[in-house]
Amino acid sequence: MKILLLGSNGQLGYEAHRTLFCYGDLIAVDYPEIDFTKPDEVVRLIKKINPDLIYNAVAYTDVDKAEQEPEKAMLVNSHTPGEIANYCKKNNVPLIHFSTDYVFDGDKNALYTEEDIPNPINVYGKTKLDGEFAIIESGCDYLIFRTSWVYSMRAGGFVNKVIQWAQQNEILRIVDDQIGNPTWARMLAITSTSFIEKNKNNIREFLYDNNGIFHLAGGGYASRFEWTKAIIEYLSKDHTINVKDIVPTKSNEFPTPAKRPLFSALNCEKFEKKFMMKIPHWENSLKLMLNQ
Ligand SMILES: NC(=O)c1ccc[n+]([C@@H]2O[C@H](COP(=O)([O-])OP(=O)(O)OC[C@H]3O[C@@H](n4cnc5c(N)ncnc54)[C@H](OP(=O)(O)O)[C@@H]3O)[C@@H](O)[C@H]2O)c1
């Protein structure tokens, strides 16, 4: 089976590269070899590769910058995934794609299920929801995994930012009113690909039968404040950490260009039942990643 991984340098794509290569002939590409602002070129490249399965880890993920670049975010998160899905429909190629907890407005104050109605409150969330619609409307066989608060040791993620802040400051002020599921990119890569091995001889039929949106994120949930406390606690033996106190604060003290949903944690039971997998609790994944 020929598998095409789009976006092999991102947090998820980097880890997916290391799991997918066990399951078939893997071709992994990233920017600038593919540029999702140029949908025709992306589809041309896919045609040339002629894959049996596409795993799309490309996304425009800068939530604040998306407010200033809505057209670019829409191309990368919606238009091009829609064109890929049209290609998939025409050529009977199954598609695995990722979306976000930010399709929700955060007003439910309880875990979101796949039955809840999305209502994004920022550009990023709107473009990701539009991407979901484009894929569904194409009629292709797809799995869309909505995930949340993805982290890894790759540059830029929240865990790395906390480590850097904790090396440079004695006091950290972290919001305790934003709640989500911290999701280790490696856990996400493993859980979103392991069914491929079991179904590699009938992957098209498997996606045809199991087609749909699934919530897939770290088990349990936490505020950014609780997440930060856990990171610092697990790093307690690290002598580069200078922080002495972490002070809870509120989102309105840190205005950002994009509004964020306050409670966007996802209920992942549908995934666990369908794929017969237990998603590890976010704290266990965090400990493993920090090598504690
Ligand atoms: N990160 C989160 O907290 C989070 C939360 C919820 C859902 N998700 C979803 O989970 C999935 C994986 O996220 P992630 O954290 O792994 O994202 P990421 O680290 O930002 O990776 C995104 C990848 O897309 C590539 N990319 C961006 N613009 C591109 C373009 N114009 N053409 C081609 N490639 C482009 C990036 O390449 P460069 O590095 O070269 O730019 C990078 O390899 C995405 O669908 C995202 O929406 C993420």
Side-chain angles (χ1 to χ4, degrees), residues 10-12 30 34-36 58-59 61 98-99 124 128 147 150:
Q11 299 193 94
L12 170 64
D30 205 307
I34 41 151
D35 182 351
F36 267 44
V58 168
T61 54
F98 291 82
S99 186
Y124 168 72
K128 293 297 290 186
T147 191
V150 179

Side-chain angles (χ1 to χ4, degrees), residues 17-279:
H17 199 169
R18 281 146 186 78
T19 54
L20 282 170
F21 85 123
C22 306
Y23 301 144
D25 298 326
L26 179 65
I27 293 146
V29 291
D30 205 307
Y31 186 84
E33 195 179 354
I34 41 151
D35 182 351
F36 267 44
T37 63
K38 297 175 181 153
D40 296 346
E41 285 182 18
V42 172
V43 171
R44 244 195 317 276
L45 184 74
I46 294 175
K47 264 188 198 149
K48 208 165 115 194
I49 293 170
N50 190 23
D52 302 302
L53 172 68
I54 299 178
Y55 184 100
N56 178 29
V58 168
Y60 184 114
T61 54
D62 190 327
V63 176
D64 287 321
K65 210 167 158 199
E67 299 292 315
Q68 276 90 55
E69 297 188 325
E71 292 86 9
K72 186 172 178 193
M74 195 57 100
L75 265 175
V76 176
N77 289 342
S78 173
H79 190 69
T80 299
E83 290 302 315
I84 294 170
N86 289 335
Y87 169 90
C88 288
K89 170 67 183 167
K90 266 192 224 135
N91 296 281
N92 265 323
V93 179
L95 173 64
I96 299 173
H97 179 80
F98 291 82
S99 186
T100 173
D101 54 333
Y102 281 12
V103 298
F104 296 114
D105 59 21
D107 291 344
K108 183 183 175 189
N109 284 320
L111 294 175
Y112 281 99
T113 72
E114 293 80 355
E115 306 300 315
D116 288 313
I117 310 287
N119 180 33
I121 58 172
N122 58 40
V123 168
Y124 168 72
K126 283 186 192 127
T127 62
K128 293 297 290 186
L129 181 62
D130 223 72
E132 292 183 4
F133 290 149
I135 290 170
I136 295 165
E137 275 165 19
S138 75
C140 77
D141 296 325
Y142 67 91
L143 287 171
I144 296 175
F145 294 120
R146 282 193 193 132
T147 191
S148 152
W149 292 10
V150 179
Y151 66 89
S152 71
M153 275 309 193
R154 311 269 300 156
F158 185 73
V159 173
N160 281 326
K161 279 189 200 154
V162 167
I163 294 172
Q164 209 181 353
W165 295 333
Q167 286 166 337
Q168 293 165 356
N169 300 280
E170 291 199 346
I171 295 175
L172 297 187
R173 295 168 63 75
I174 306 288
V175 299
D176 67 354
D177 57 354
Q178 282 179 33
I179 293 166
N181 324 76
T183 304
W184 185 21
R186 184 170 303 172
M187 187 286 294
L188 184 59
I190 292 169
T191 49
S192 64
T193 57
S194 55
F195 66 89
I196 298 172
E197 168 64 10
K198 268 185 260 160
N199 299 285
K200 65 180 173 200
N201 295 326
N202 61 338
I203 196 72
R204 261 185 224 158
E205 291 78 2
F206 181 82
L207 263 84
Y208 179 80
D209 292 341
N210 295 287
N211 211 301
I213 294 181
F214 292 87
H215 290 178
L216 174 54
Y221 57 88
S223 68
R224 290 210 184 256
F225 173 75
E226 289 166 324
W227 187 14
T228 303
K229 266 180 59 179
I231 297 166
I232 302 298
E233 190 189 320
Y234 302 149
L235 286 172
S236 61
K237 291 189 203 97
D238 180 335
H239 298 300
T240 67
I241 299 296
N242 285 318
V243 78
K244 308 248 179 318
D245 199 10
I246 308 164
V247 180
T249 180
K250 300 292 171 210
S251 298
N252 58 16
E253 288 181 41
F254 288 103
T256 49
K259 252 179 104 181
R260 272 128 174 110
L262 290 183
F263 191 109
S264 59
L266 302 172
N267 174 326
C268 301
E269 283 171 15
K270 180 182 167 193
F271 174 86
E272 290 190 318
K273 276 191 198 129
K274 177 70 89 177
F275 290 83
M276 290 185 288
M277 256 183 253
K278 178 82 192 131
I279 298 174

